[in-house]
Amino acid sequence: MPTIFTKIINGEIPCFKVAEDENFLAFLDINPNAKGHTLCIPKKEVNKILDLDEETYVQLMLFSRKVGKALEKTVDCKRVGMSVIGLEVPHVHVHLIPLNEMKEATFQHKVKLSNEELAELAEAIGAKVE
Ligand code: 5GP
């Protein structure tokens, strides 16, 4: 059974897309720890990050770096944190989280944004991806 993220890649489930290339997709997390919380995923469906082939692993990090830099320019934050968890969705993803306080890195602090805000945010971050 395909993961929810594969369904997003295939356009079966909507997302607020930030950036995309042939092999990777970045989109806003549906239940963000902070404004701008973004997920970067390989289109190849692999459960655990350490099981990615070396090439995909390195390319995912480079893609996440590019998106993270755009995020840092868009959202007011001290820094963009990166984490990999994967306990909820068994499809590799890098969390990019704009951080001002430690609680935003804990996945227990959540923020609510309207669909309009999310759409604007995704577009603004995406426009800064180089
Ligand atoms: P993890 O697997 O790293 O523990 O967390 C999965 C993350 O994916 C969570 O932050 C959760 O909010 C996010 N997520 C789960 N389902 C969806 C979805 O359908 N769309 C989006 N955009 N994010 C999702």
Side-chain angles (χ1 to χ4, degrees):
M1 179 140 129
T3 65
I4 199 142
F5 290 171
T6 292
K7 290 182 180 169
I8 287 176
I9 291 163
N10 293 337
E12 294 162 40
I13 291 180
C15 73
F16 292 100
K17 182 161 78 179
V18 170
E20 180 174 23
D21 69 14
E22 197 190 331
N23 300 311
F24 302 98
L25 176 68
F27 54 96
L28 296 180
D29 195 294
I30 205 170
N31 189 19
N33 292 16
K35 184 180 166 186
H37 184 167
T38 300
L39 303 174
C40 296
I41 67 173
K43 292 186 178 175
K44 191 189 292 188
E45 189 179 302
V46 172
N47 180 355
K48 300 177 187 171
I49 193 161
L50 299 182
D51 291 337
L52 283 177
D53 61 84
E54 279 187 15
E55 171 74 9
T56 308
Y57 178 91
V58 170
Q59 292 303 323
L60 173 63
M61 286 303 144
L62 291 173
F63 180 78
S64 302
R65 179 173 182 264
K66 232 169 30 173
V67 175
K69 281 178 173 290
L71 182 53
E72 214 164 39
K73 286 182 201 152
T74 311
V75 174
D76 189 29
C77 61
K78 288 185 180 158
R79 60 178 57 225
V80 170
M82 295 174 71
S83 55
V84 177
I85 314 287
L87 287 173
E88 184 185 332
V89 179
H91 184 141
V92 174
H93 49 284
V94 174
H95 293 264
L96 298 174
I97 309 167
L99 299 174
N100 285 297
E101 296 177 71
M102 191 59 190
K103 66 179 182 188
E104 291 154 343
T106 65
F107 293 85
Q108 275 145 14
H109 175 267
K110 297 289 176 182
V111 296
K112 276 266 167 264
L113 297 166
S114 68
N115 282 350
E116 290 72 26
E117 286 174 302
L118 291 167
E120 274 174 28
L121 200 50
E123 197 179 326
I125 303 164
K128 294 195 178 69
V129 175
E130 289 172 2

